[in-house]
């Protein structure tokens, strides 16, 4: 079933346009604007160009989704297959199925929202021309990663996003931006070198770099030892990008230093490239190698879940001077741990849960970084102790709509039933309860129990954040004497305070008012509403996404057989 009937040639064009248009738009952004398009403000004109290009890509992606055959989501559609380097049998092979289509739509949506946000709130830093061009190159590389079906093209697209993100952090970031950018690029480049060796090993040993042919072969053309080596090499590169504990240490620094738009794109789409590689390449191409490393992958995943949550709890406590952006970054380590645990189960339930959690994390954490960026702009800091305030005048009192939306994103992130964050984690834990044949059930049930404990820790730190940032807190000295009683007036000896008496905070001075902040602006509401709406839609109607991914996952795990 298709929503609208679109010919195969038009579908091919749409997919090629989605991948190439941002790259052409990036080149156009760097060229001098035609006289009629310069406008009175050239900086605004180039930012408007970014909105136009990303908007056109989003429209094309939506049209592509409406023309997608939802009755056969396991079949590669909108395919283009052209010989590129005959000597190496490298082909320009593009296509989408139920696994890649949601990620394609998520990338197009988040990039458009980032471009729209930047138009109304231009980034503080060098020329917007370079900023717009870098965002468009980043979009093209990410979309290509989810659309290409050749191992070497996958690697090129995978690497294409590194340089734009490096410059977005290094040129438009905050404090310690250069150190964070270098850490990001060095970690990811080192992982990518190892990954390239694994990809070349698979391609040369099997005689093809075509991902569809390799998935159909299901590892039968590769010995177990080759699969083990390939999974180890490729898995390291993918794990760095995911990020998996203990290869995650670049992430908190990068998020803390990155501009708001950089953090949204990094968390919303770039992290998904790593987990997508596990599903698209390692699970179908090297199943025996994956089965060897699955228990270790699951162990690292649950350690990441608990570690990320404990790090967030440490940052959230009073007096820790924790940065809210850094806390959300550490929460991503935990959430992506659930994705990796689902993949490690090698079951349809677990892998579907991982893919659902991927999309949910992109929506929810993208919204969280937008909100944290807005809070930081208003307060001038993301320090949790400062945001909590010493007088209780926090977001609910100063900007109630912003506080309410932040609370909504936080409870969505902790996995509240009825919102998108719930289904991915639940399916992942179900998959761990009954892993694939050949994997240790006692071990995976232990991992399931640890993961379930991690959900409790996630709820704990998110509720602490909501209480402190949205509700505020009184300073210890403002609740009782001397603020609430006259100075130097101790209670008479033997007098006991009534157990029902509620301590009152200090009485405000006459004429004192709670300092107000700008609440949600119109452009912010337009930018954030789609993410909040999709978070609710995915939570209430998970079949929309699972109906796409499940047939494709079933075919992928069956070695290309429906």
């Amino acid at each position: 079933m298709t929503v609208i009937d679109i010919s195969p040639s038009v579908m091919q064009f749409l997919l090629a346009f989605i991948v190439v248009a941002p790259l052409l738009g990036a080149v156009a952004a760097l060229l001098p604007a035609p006289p009629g398009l310069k406008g009175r403000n050239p900086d605004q004109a180039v930012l408007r160009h970014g909105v136009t290009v990303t908007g056109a890509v989003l429209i094309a992606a939506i049209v592509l989704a409406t023309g997608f055959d939802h009755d056969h989501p396991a079949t590669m559609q909108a395919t283009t297959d052209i010989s590129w380097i005959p000597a190496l049998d490298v082909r320009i092979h593009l296509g989408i199925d139920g696994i890649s289509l949601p990620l394609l739509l998520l990338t197009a949506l988040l990039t458009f929202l980032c471009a729209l946000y930047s138009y109304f709130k231009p980034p503080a830093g060098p020329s917007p021309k370079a900023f717009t061009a870098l965002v468009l190159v980043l979009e093209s590389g990410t979309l290509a990663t989810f659309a290409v079906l050749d191992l070497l093209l996958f690697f090129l697209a995978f690497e294409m996003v590194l340089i734009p993100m490096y410059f977005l952090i290094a040129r438009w970031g905050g404090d310690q931006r250069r150190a964070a950018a270098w850490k990001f690029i060095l970690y990811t480049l080192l992982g990518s070198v190892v990954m390239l060796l694994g990809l070349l090993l698979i391609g040369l040993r099997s005689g093809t770099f075509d991902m569809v042919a390799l998935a159909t072969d299901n590892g039968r053309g590769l010995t177990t030892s080759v699969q083990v080596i390939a999974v180890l090499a490729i898995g390291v590169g993918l794990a760095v990008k995911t990020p998996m504990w203990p290869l995650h240490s670049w992430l908190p620094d990068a998020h803390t230093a990155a501009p708001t738009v950089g953090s949204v794109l990094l968390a919303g789409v770039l992290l998904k490239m790593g987990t997508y590689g596990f599903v698209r390449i390692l699970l179908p191409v090297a199943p025996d190698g994956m089965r060897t490393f699955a228990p270790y992958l699951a162990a690292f995943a649950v350690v990441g879940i608990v570690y990320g949550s404990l790090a967030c709890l440490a940052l959230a406590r009073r007096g820790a001077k924790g940065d809210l952006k850094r806390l959300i970054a550490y929460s991503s380590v935990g959430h992506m741990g659930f994705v990796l645990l689902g993949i490690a189960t090698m079951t349809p339930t677990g892998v579907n849960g991982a893919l659902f959690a991927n999309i949910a994390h992109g929506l929810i954490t993208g919204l969280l970084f937008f909100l944290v960026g807005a809070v930081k702009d208003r307060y001038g800091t993301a320090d949790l102790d400062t945001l909590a305030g010493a007088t209780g005048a926090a977001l609910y009192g100063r900007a109630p709509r912003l506080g309410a939306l932040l609370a909504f994103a936080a409870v969505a992130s902790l996995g509240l039933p009825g919102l998108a964050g719930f289904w991915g984690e639940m399916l992942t834990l179900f998959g761990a309860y009954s892993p694939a044949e050949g994997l240790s059930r006692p071990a995976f049930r232990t991992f399931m129990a640890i993961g379930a404990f991690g959900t409790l820790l996630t709820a704990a730190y998110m509720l602490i954040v909501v209480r402190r940032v949205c509700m505020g807190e009184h300073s210890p000295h403002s609740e009782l004497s001397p603020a609430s009683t006259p100075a130097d007036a101790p209670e008479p000896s033997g007098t006991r305070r009534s157990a029902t008496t509620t301590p009152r905070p200090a009485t405000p001075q006459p004429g004192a008012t709670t300092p107000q902040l700008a609440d949600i602006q119109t452009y912010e509401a337009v930018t954030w509403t789609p993410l909040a709406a999709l978070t609710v839609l995915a939570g209430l109607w998970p079949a929309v996404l699972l109906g796409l991914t499940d047939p494709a996952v079933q075919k992928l795990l069956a070695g290309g057989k429906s």
Side-chain angles (χ1 to χ4, degrees):
M1 179 193 68
T2 58
V3 178
I4 57 176
D5 190 18
I6 301 177
S7 68
S9 59
V10 174
M11 291 285 284
Q12 290 176 350
F13 170 78
L14 286 172
L15 184 57
F17 174 83
I18 288 168
V19 173
V20 175
L23 204 55
L24 299 177
V27 175
L30 296 175
L31 297 175
L37 297 178
K38 282 184 178 179
R40 295 181 180 179
N41 188 336
D43 289 347
Q44 286 294 108
V46 75
L47 291 171
R48 185 168 61 248
H49 167 76
V51 175
T52 303
V53 174
T54 56
V57 171
L58 176 59
I59 292 171
I62 293 172
V63 174
L64 184 72
T66 57
F68 186 83
D69 186 356
H70 292 264
D71 286 337
H72 301 91
T75 303
M76 284 294 171
Q77 302 180 35
T79 55
T80 299
D81 192 0
I82 304 171
S83 178
W84 183 35
I85 307 176
L88 296 177
D89 193 28
V90 178
R91 310 181 67 82
I92 299 177
H93 193 183
L94 304 177
I96 54 168
D97 64 356
I99 293 172
S100 52
L101 180 61
L103 291 167
L104 209 71
L105 289 168
L106 176 68
T107 302
L109 173 65
L110 282 177
T111 313
F112 170 70
L113 295 180
C114 286
L116 186 64
Y117 186 83
S118 300
Y119 175 74
F120 289 101
K121 186 171 181 56
S127 166
K129 270 194 169 188
F131 177 86
T132 301
L134 289 170
V135 169
L136 291 173
V137 172
L138 186 69
E139 179 182 32
S140 180
T142 310
L143 290 169
T145 301
F146 300 136
V148 298
L149 297 173
D150 183 276
L151 289 180
L152 292 186
L153 277 184
F154 175 86
F155 176 78
L156 292 176
F158 197 86
E159 296 305 291
M160 185 176 168
V161 304
L162 300 185
I163 301 302
M165 183 54 69
Y166 167 82
F167 281 110
L168 286 174
I169 297 171
R171 300 294 298 278
W172 286 270
D175 297 337
Q176 305 296 321
R177 59 182 181 269
R178 293 191 180 276
W182 273 110
K183 196 171 186 179
F184 163 76
I185 199 76
L186 290 176
Y187 260 80
T188 49
L189 278 178
L190 182 61
S192 297
V193 169
V194 181
M195 184 176 76
L196 177 60
L197 296 176
L199 294 174
L200 290 174
L201 177 63
I202 288 178
L204 296 176
R205 286 301 182 96
S206 62
T208 181
F209 290 98
D210 187 88
M211 292 159 67
V212 176
L214 289 167
T216 303
D217 189 60
N218 201 219
R220 286 183 285 270
L222 301 171
T223 64
T224 301
S225 59
V226 168
Q227 290 189 37
V228 168
I229 296 171
V231 169
L232 180 61
I234 299 171
V236 168
L238 298 175
V240 170
K241 186 65 72 72
T242 297
M244 181 186 78
W245 181 92
L247 304 174
H248 70 283
S249 60
W250 62 269
L251 183 72
D253 292 339
H255 270 308
T256 305
T260 297
V261 166
S263 292
V264 171
L265 292 176
L266 181 58
V269 293
L270 263 68
L271 303 189
K272 312 302 174 287
M273 294 164 63
T275 52
Y276 175 78
F278 275 104
V279 174
R280 176 63 74 197
I281 299 173
L282 293 186
L283 276 178
V285 175
D288 293 336
M290 270 298 292
R291 196 169 287 106
T292 299
F293 282 106
Y296 304 101
L297 179 63
F300 284 127
V302 296
V303 170
I305 292 170
V306 175
Y307 171 83
S309 299
L310 292 177
C312 290
L313 283 170
L315 289 169
R317 75 178 190 275
R318 182 186 297 180
K321 291 293 180 183
D323 186 283
L324 186 54
K325 284 189 74 176
R326 196 174 188 85
L327 184 147
I328 302 301
Y330 271 111
S331 77
S332 292
V333 176
H335 288 304
M336 298 311 289
F338 278 102
V339 177
L340 291 173
L341 177 60
I343 294 170
T345 66
M346 300 183 69
T347 62
T349 302
V351 176
N352 275 305
L355 294 172
F356 199 103
N358 250 349
I359 301 298
H361 179 264
L363 295 172
I364 297 167
T365 308
L367 178 59
L368 276 171
F369 274 117
F370 268 132
L371 294 168
V372 173
V375 169
K376 186 175 182 179
D377 289 339
R378 286 158 169 77
Y379 279 90
T381 180
D383 177 72
L384 271 166
D385 290 334
T386 304
L387 297 179
T391 63
L395 274 184
Y396 284 162
R398 295 184 173 188
R401 293 183 182 86
L402 182 59
L405 191 54
L406 180 61
F408 165 80
V411 297
S413 182
L414 65 82
L416 185 73
L419 298 176
F422 171 73
W423 295 104
E425 294 181 2
M426 185 195 71
L427 291 173
T428 292
L429 295 177
F430 280 174
Y433 182 80
S434 182
E437 186 178 349
L439 299 179
S440 170
R441 286 200 172 193
F444 271 83
R445 288 181 180 178
T446 302
F447 299 146
M448 180 197 71
I450 298 172
F453 176 66
T455 63
L456 300 179
L457 296 177
T458 302
Y461 71 73
M462 277 300 179
L463 292 176
I464 290 173
V465 167
V466 170
R467 179 178 61 81
R468 299 194 68 203
V469 177
C470 296
M471 302 176 185
E473 58 192 8
H474 298 288
S475 67
H477 303 294
S478 67
E479 296 180 354
L480 298 171
S481 57
S484 58
T485 59
D488 302 317
E491 291 182 343
S493 175
T495 301
R496 298 184 65 185
R497 189 178 298 273
S498 170
T500 59
T501 301
T502 302
R504 293 180 299 171
T507 304
Q509 296 296 323
T513 58
T514 300
Q516 294 297 304
L517 298 172
D519 213 333
I520 295 178
Q521 305 295 301
T522 302
Y523 74 92
E524 292 174 329
V526 171
T527 304
W528 302 339
T529 298
L531 299 179
L534 289 171
T535 298
V536 175
L537 177 64
L540 296 178
W541 197 9
V544 173
L545 184 55
L546 293 174
L548 281 173
T549 62
D550 185 53
V553 168
Q554 297 276 2
K555 181 178 179 180
L556 179 141
L557 293 177
K561 301 173 183 177
S562 300

